[in-house]
Every structure is written in C-alpha cells, then in structure tokens.
C-alpha cells in the first residue's frame, strides 16, 4: 500500500488502561460461558515471572505526542502506552519501532522471511496482513484470549475484518468508513440539492439517482459545450479500492464468504464496475483522461470546485477549510444498485501477534494487545479522525453531526471486500482500471485477469 493512499495515511495504533484475562479464566469468543475473571486477576496471572520479558511493538507514525494531540514525537503515544502497561506488568519491556508508510509492509515481510518478526504490529485491512500472515501460519490466533464480552463488543463489520478461516488474528482498535463527499455550493448553484438523498436517515441512494445528480452538476461555467465542472470523478492511480466499490454496492464481492474462491467475475460485480467506467466514458460526468488521474489529482479538483462529488472520508473537511475558496461539504452514502442494500468501504485497524515460542511471553503480548485496544484506550483514535472498534467506547464525536453520521454508516461497511482487496497488489488493480478506462480492455476481460491473480493467492 502506498504512503499516499487516502485512508491508509490516517491510521495507527494506541491505548491505555488494563483489561486483561488470564489463560486459566479465558473462554473463546464462541463459548457459551464467557469468563468473568477480573482484569486485576488476569494481570496477576500473566506476571508471575520476575524475569524481564522483551516485547517488540511496530507501529506507523500516525499521531504525535503522548495523547495524540500533536504536541510531541510520532512514537510518544506508543512509548507512553508501554510505560503505563509496565506499571501493571513490571516484567514487560516493550520497545517501540516506527514503520514507514512507504515500506512498512515490505519490512514486515522481510522480518517474517528471516524468522524474526516483531511480537506485535499494527496493520489495517487493506494491507492484507490478517489474510497474508494468517494463511502463512505465522500468526497467533487470538480466539483463546477473547472473552465473549469482547466478541459481543464488535460490530459484524469489525468481526469480519479480524478473521482468516476459522480463527481471529487481529485485536481490532479502530474502524474507518468512507462515503460520498458533496460540494453543496455547486449543488445550490445548479438548483440541484433536491437530487441528493439528504432527507433519508442513512442518506442512501441508487446508481440512477447518483447519475442524475452527477449530470445536473456537469456543466461549463461560461456556457460552452465542453464542461469545466464535473459531477464526479473516476481515477485509476492510487486508492483504487474506491473505484471498485460499485461492484460491492451492486451486490457482488471480490471473494466468497469462505474466503477460498474469487467471485470478482460474477455478473453483479462486473455490472457495478461497468457503471463506474460508464460514468466517465459513456455519460461523461467525470473529467476525461481518468486512466492518468490519481487520487490526489481527484482531490485537488474537488478542492478547486471542479468536481461536485467524490468518494472520501471525513478527514476531507479539514482540507476543504484550506481550499483556495472554502465551501460547504455534505456527506452521503455510496450509491448502490437497484434493489441492493447500502454498503460502504470500511477499514479496520488493529494489532496482530506473531508466533510465540514461550507461553508466558505469549500471554503478556496478548495482555498488551488487549490493553491497547480496550474500550477506554481506544477513544484516542478520535485524534486521527477514526472510530473505536469497540461499541462500548460509545460515540466519541457526540455533538458532531458529520462524525455521528459516519459512525452510523460504518455499520454498513463490508470487511470481506476490504480484506480481500489486500490479496492483489495495488499496481495490478490500477493497471486493470487504466485498461478499462482507455478502452484497452473490456470490463469482463480486466476482471478475468484479476480473477486469475486472486485464485492463485487463494490456493
């Protein structure tokens, strides 16, 4: 994943406070009789040894300062968590190493190949960590350390993100979701606000309704025949998951529920991708030359009010404030196919634990992962504009209508889509988008090429 990817750049890891569970008092998430062991009892069980136990934590530089408020260094927050965890677990010696967004996944791969991976590392769905390392058998399942109360605290979208096969491998910490950002000023200028689904509770709408809104906001300011403002934007470079989303919202998906077969060539997914390509090539409601447009180019056009609608996350609001001419932004759900339910791109970030040889150390690493991701500590993710993965963390954006809306939309995220997206290299997704947008390949042919890659990865 590239450093620049719109969503990936806003993620990281952190937390404080203790909520551990002992190996003797633990039940798996599927147990009918979850453990009632207290956190203090659990802490005691994992700190029986007086010998210092080293734990390597690798994270990305997503926030600065102890509290993530920007006042400090990019590893301060993680080092603070390590310090506070040690207060409850004196034998824990946690060291923190920062990964680079551009090469972090490669560094992890190299460490795994060398047989010396970190103990605990932060990852997100579309990095494909749970799938890739779970398939390789180099991760510790967290099921024996999850209590029923943990499992019940996660939404279905989060649950789907942390599993590979029959096992859960990620301690979820945050969730993200994207919708459609709307330039309300442009819609008012075109007297087209009635075409937006703003009066619906989830602000959901169909492909046909989205197209009508895009056509109404594609125009030439001076009255010429060639538009200089477009209703939406279609691009092929960087963050390509947005461009494939219509396959999901049309009722398809990249892989099946069992995560062992590609479904990307199914008729519904294919028709959804055809709709994306048609927005640019047939309906011409997107800027021409989409094959060469990047996600950054798309955002620049939106900020310059040359595009009325584009998929993005709430972080965009801060960028709009700094635009050449700030404007009002609204958010709505991604459009969906006729008779299809609402679906959204979502991402879940959390911590995976690599294989441990020592049982005492394994327990301690799992305790630390739980510590970082408990309901209180997870609230810090507000500092990076994301949402806690645990429902019990509550609405950390109370009083903020935009973030409250996105929190509701996150319930419609499809983690199967985002997790399977990580099976294919970003460059391959981009290459096929470029081929479709230039007319070099038909949609079904490009999806057939991706299908071959997916089937190989799923073997």
């Amino acid at each position: 994943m590239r450093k620049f990817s719109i969503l990936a750049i806003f993620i990281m890891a952190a937390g404080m406070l203790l909520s551990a569970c002992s190996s003797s008092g633990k039940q798996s998430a599927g147990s009918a009789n979850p453990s009632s062991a207290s956190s203090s009892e659990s802490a005691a069980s994992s700190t029986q040894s007086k010998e210092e136990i080293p734990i390597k934590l690798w994270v990305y530089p997503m926030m600065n300062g102890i509290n993530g408020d920007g006042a400090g260094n990019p590893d301060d927050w993680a080092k603070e968590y390590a310090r506070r965890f040690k207060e409850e677990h004196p034998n824990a010696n946690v060291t923190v190493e920062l990964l680079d967004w551009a090469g972090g996944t490669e560094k992890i791969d190299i460490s795994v190949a060398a047989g010396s991976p970190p103990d605990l590392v932060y990852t997100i769905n579309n990095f494909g960590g749970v799938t890739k390392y779970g398939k390789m058998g180099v991760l510790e399942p967290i099921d024996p350390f999850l209590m029923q109360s943990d499992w019940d605290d996660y939404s279905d979208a989060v649950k789907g993100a942390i599993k590979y096969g029959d096992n859960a491998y990620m301690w979820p910490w945050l969730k993200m979701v994207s919708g459609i950002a709307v330039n309300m000023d442009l819609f008012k200028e075109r007297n087209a606000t009635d075409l937006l689904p703003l009066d619906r509770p989830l602000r959901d709408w169909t492909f046909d309704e989205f197209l009508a809104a895009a056509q109404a906001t594609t125009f030439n300011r001076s009255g010429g025949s060639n538009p200089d403002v477009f209703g939406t934007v279609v691009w092929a470079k960087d963050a390509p998951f947005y461009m494939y989303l219509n396959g999901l919202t049309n009722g398809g998906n990249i892989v099946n529920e069992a995560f062992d077969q590609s479904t990307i060539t199914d008729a519904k997914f294919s028709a959804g991708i055809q709709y994306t390509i048609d927005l640019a090539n047939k309906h011409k409601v997107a800027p021409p030359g989409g094959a060469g447009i990047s996600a950054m180019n798309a955002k620049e056009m939106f900020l310059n009010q040359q595009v009325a609608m584009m998929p993005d996350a709430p972080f965009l609001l801060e960028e709009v404030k700094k635009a050449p001419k700030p404007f009002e932004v609204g958010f709505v759900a991604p459009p969906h196919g006729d008779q299809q339910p609402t679906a959204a791109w979502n991402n879940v970030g959390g911590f995976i634990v690599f294989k441990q040889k020592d049982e005492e150390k394994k327990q301690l690493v799992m305790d630390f992962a739980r510590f970082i991701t408990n309901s209180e500590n997870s609230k810090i993710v507000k500092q990076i504009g994301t949402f806690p993965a645990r429902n019990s963390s509550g609405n950390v954006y109370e009083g903020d209508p935009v973030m409250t809306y996105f929190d509701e939309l996150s319930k419609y995220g499809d983690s199967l889509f985002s997790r399977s997206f990580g099976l294919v290299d970003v460059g391959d997704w981009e290459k096929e988008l470029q081929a479709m947008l230039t007319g070099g390949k038909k949609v079904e042919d490009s999806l057939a090429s991706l299908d071959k890659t997916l089937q190989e990865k799923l073997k």
Side-chain angles (χ1 to χ4, degrees):
M1 189 67 180
R2 299 181 183 175
K3 179 181 180 180
F4 154 72
S5 174
I6 288 181
L7 282 181
I9 206 162
F10 287 96
I11 314 131
M12 231 173 72
M16 331 181 165
L17 222 89
L18 177 65
S19 176
C21 114
S22 71
S23 56
S24 61
K26 264 185 210 71
Q27 299 285 340
S28 102
S31 170
N33 298 296
S35 170
S36 59
S38 70
S39 61
S40 59
E41 290 171 341
S42 301
S45 72
S46 64
T47 57
Q48 294 175 358
S49 173
K50 299 298 182 181
E51 184 178 347
E52 191 171 79
I53 297 177
I55 297 174
K56 293 181 181 180
L57 168 65
W58 287 6
V59 294
Y60 290 87
M62 286 310 307
M63 66 179 91
N64 290 350
I66 290 175
N67 300 312
D69 57 6
N73 299 311
D75 57 357
D76 285 348
W77 59 272
K79 289 179 178 178
E80 176 66 6
Y81 299 155
R83 184 189 68 80
R84 297 191 184 190
F85 182 73
K86 189 175 181 64
E87 290 179 351
E88 298 289 342
H89 301 77
N91 60 335
N93 179 20
V94 180
T95 57
V96 178
E97 184 170 338
L98 286 175
L99 295 170
D100 183 83
W101 283 111
T105 54
E106 289 81 3
K107 182 172 182 176
I108 298 168
D109 287 345
I110 291 171
S111 74
V112 171
S116 58
D119 299 301
L120 195 64
V121 64
Y122 177 77
T123 189
I124 53 175
N125 261 182
N126 62 310
F127 278 15
V130 168
T131 300
K132 176 166 61 176
Y133 301 125
K135 182 179 180 181
M136 291 171 64
V138 296
L139 295 180
E140 290 287 357
I142 69 170
D143 306 82
F145 304 89
L146 281 172
M147 293 165 57
Q148 188 67 44
S149 57
D150 293 316
W151 197 245
D152 293 343
D153 207 12
Y154 305 135
S155 68
D156 288 342
V158 171
K159 291 175 183 177
I162 69 177
K163 295 189 70 176
Y164 175 73
D166 295 329
N167 294 315
Y169 289 107
M170 179 199 288
W171 287 93
W173 180 60
L174 59 79
K175 59 184 179 180
M176 299 168 289
V177 65
S178 62
I180 301 295
V182 178
N183 183 325
M184 295 301 298
D185 289 11
L186 283 176
F187 271 85
K188 291 174 183 177
E189 178 183 345
R190 302 296 291 172
N191 295 314
T193 55
D194 60 322
L195 296 178
L196 296 170
L198 300 175
D199 58 343
R200 301 171 188 173
L202 196 59
R203 304 176 204 165
D204 56 325
W205 51 346
T206 66
F207 284 165
D208 288 344
E209 290 173 320
F210 179 87
L211 175 59
Q215 289 172 325
T217 49
T218 298
F219 65 100
N220 184 291
R221 288 192 180 279
S222 21
S225 57
N226 295 322
D228 53 16
V229 177
F230 294 88
T232 190
V233 58
V234 176
W235 69 81
K237 299 170 66 178
D238 290 309
F241 44 80
Y242 281 130
M243 298 299 101
Y244 288 91
L245 183 65
N246 286 331
L248 171 70
T249 61
N250 196 46
N253 215 316
I254 296 174
V255 300
N256 62 356
E257 287 289 340
F259 216 87
D260 59 7
Q261 288 291 323
S262 167
T263 58
I264 200 169
T265 59
D266 287 358
K268 289 181 179 179
F269 194 91
S270 181
I273 303 307
Q274 186 66 62
Y275 172 80
T276 300
I277 303 304
D278 285 349
L279 288 173
N281 293 351
K282 178 181 178 181
H283 303 297
K284 301 189 184 305
V285 294
I293 295 175
S294 69
M296 181 62 77
N297 299 146
K299 182 171 288 190
E300 288 172 351
M301 287 188 280
F302 184 81
L303 295 176
N304 288 322
Q305 303 202 53
Q306 298 167 294
V307 166
M309 298 182 290
M310 72 169 290
D312 213 319
F315 323 118
L316 183 64
L317 287 173
E318 292 302 312
E319 296 176 77
V320 170
K321 292 177 183 177
K322 302 172 185 176
K325 184 181 177 182
F327 51 92
E328 181 186 356
V329 177
F331 287 98
V332 297
H336 56 78
D338 189 38
Q339 303 301 313
Q340 297 298 327
T342 297
W345 163 263
N346 82 304
N347 229 346
V348 175
F351 297 88
I352 51 179
V353 178
F354 283 93
K355 283 289 186 180
Q356 301 292 316
K357 296 179 181 178
D358 181 80
E359 288 297 318
E360 183 180 6
K361 181 175 179 179
K362 182 198 297 187
Q363 176 69 61
L364 193 61
V365 173
M366 292 293 182
D367 284 344
F368 186 42
R370 176 188 293 279
F371 170 80
I372 294 172
T373 61
N374 70 34
S375 58
E376 184 60 31
N377 298 340
S378 294
K379 293 178 182 179
I380 197 175
V381 303
K382 178 181 179 181
Q383 299 287 11
I384 50 175
T386 60
F387 302 91
R390 288 183 180 270
N391 296 328
S392 59
S393 295
N395 182 4
V396 296
Y397 296 100
E398 189 171 357
D400 184 329
V402 171
M403 298 304 286
T404 297
Y405 167 68
F406 271 99
D407 198 12
E408 181 64 23
L409 187 60
S410 72
K411 299 174 184 177
Y412 297 83
D414 190 291
S415 292
L416 181 63
F417 178 83
S418 55
R419 186 158 59 94
S420 55
F421 204 88
L423 289 169
V424 177
D425 290 341
V426 171
D428 289 337
W429 291 110
E430 293 175 337
K431 180 179 68 176
E432 297 304 336
L433 273 174
Q434 289 171 328
M436 289 184 278
L437 285 167
T438 60
K441 276 187 177 182
K442 294 181 179 180
V443 167
E444 54 266 31
D445 293 333
S446 278
L447 295 183
S449 295
L450 291 168
D451 180 67
K452 290 180 181 178
T453 302
L454 285 163
Q455 298 289 16
E456 182 64 30
K457 295 286 186 179
L458 290 167
K459 285 182 180 178

